[in-house]
């Protein structure tokens, strides 16, 4: 017979302080993975609605008056979309860096410094994201 394990109350929010960096790395890696999957399906849905460019005359496509170009220009013109793109970059960079960190740990490299490598991946993600903000937030000539 198996014994049940008392995991405590869900309402005991003080337990979050007890999580080690490895647990936070696991939680953030899973969370960013689900965000990327959600983005993938949203991206496919938005682009599939704008696929009408295939039926447009070549002159409309060259002039940029086709549905695809109009849709993308409309989305890029929204400030919230540019903010979400910065967030997407942060999610993707962290997921990639943490995945590389996990790969190295699985290979036996850096077993002693897993916590430090997690913090490094967070710092590098923040640096790349902050450095990219001016690129994403500048007005593009639409």
């Amino acid at each position: 017979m198996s014994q049940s394990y008392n995991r405590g109350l869900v309402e005991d929010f003080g337990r979050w302080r007890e999580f080690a960096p490895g647990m936070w790395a696991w939680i953030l890696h899973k969370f960013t993975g689900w965000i990327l999957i959600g983005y993938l399906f949203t991206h496919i849905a938005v682009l599939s609605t704008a696929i009408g460019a295939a039926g447009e005359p070549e002159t409309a496509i060259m002039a940029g008056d086709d549905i695809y170009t109009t849709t993308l220009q409309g989305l890029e013109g929204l400030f919230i979309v540019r903010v979400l793109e910065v967030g997407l970059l942060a999610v993707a960079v962290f997921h990639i860096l943490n995945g590389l960190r996990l790969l190295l740990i699985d290979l036996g490299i850096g077993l002693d410094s897993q916590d430090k490598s997690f913090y490094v991946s967070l710092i590098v993600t923040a640096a790349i994201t902050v450095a990219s903000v001016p690129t994403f937030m500048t007005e593009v000539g639409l």
Side-chain angles (χ1 to χ4, degrees), residues 4-18:
S4 65
Y5 176 72
N6 182 8
R7 293 187 173 98
L9 295 173
V10 175
E11 294 85 19
D12 186 12
F13 292 110
R15 292 177 52 199
W16 289 96
R17 287 178 287 176
E18 299 171 8

Side-chain angles (χ1 to χ4, degrees), residues 1 4 16 40 49 92 98:
M1 295 272 259
S4 65
W16 289 96
L40 177 66
T49 60
N98 195 49

Side-chain angles (χ1 to χ4, degrees), residues 111-139:
L111 289 173
D112 302 343
S113 58
Q114 291 184 40
D115 295 354
K116 293 175 190 168
S117 62
F118 169 62
Y119 294 133
V120 167
S121 66
L122 285 176
I123 291 169
V124 171
T125 299
I128 290 172
T129 303
V130 168
S132 71
V133 167
T135 303
F136 282 103
M137 292 301 157
T138 55
E139 282 288 332

Side-chain angles (χ1 to χ4, degrees), residues 24-108:
W24 284 113
W26 182 81
I27 290 170
L28 288 174
H29 195 75
K30 299 299 176 195
F31 179 72
T32 56
W34 282 108
I35 294 291
L36 291 171
I37 288 172
Y39 170 75
L40 177 66
F41 286 113
T42 304
H43 182 73
I44 290 170
V46 168
L47 291 183
S48 68
T49 60
I51 206 71
E56 295 285 333
E58 190 173 327
T59 56
I61 294 172
M62 296 300 268
D65 294 334
D66 60 302
I67 298 169
Y68 182 80
T69 305
T70 307
T71 302
L72 291 183
Q73 285 177 344
L75 287 173
E76 284 296 318
L78 298 173
F79 179 74
I80 188 69
V81 171
R82 288 184 274 153
V83 170
L84 289 173
E85 285 178 339
V86 172
L88 177 66
L89 176 72
V91 164
V93 167
F94 174 78
H95 195 78
I96 290 167
L97 291 177
N98 195 49
L100 291 174
R101 183 186 77 84
L102 291 173
L103 176 67
L104 291 174
I105 289 170
D106 286 344
L107 293 173

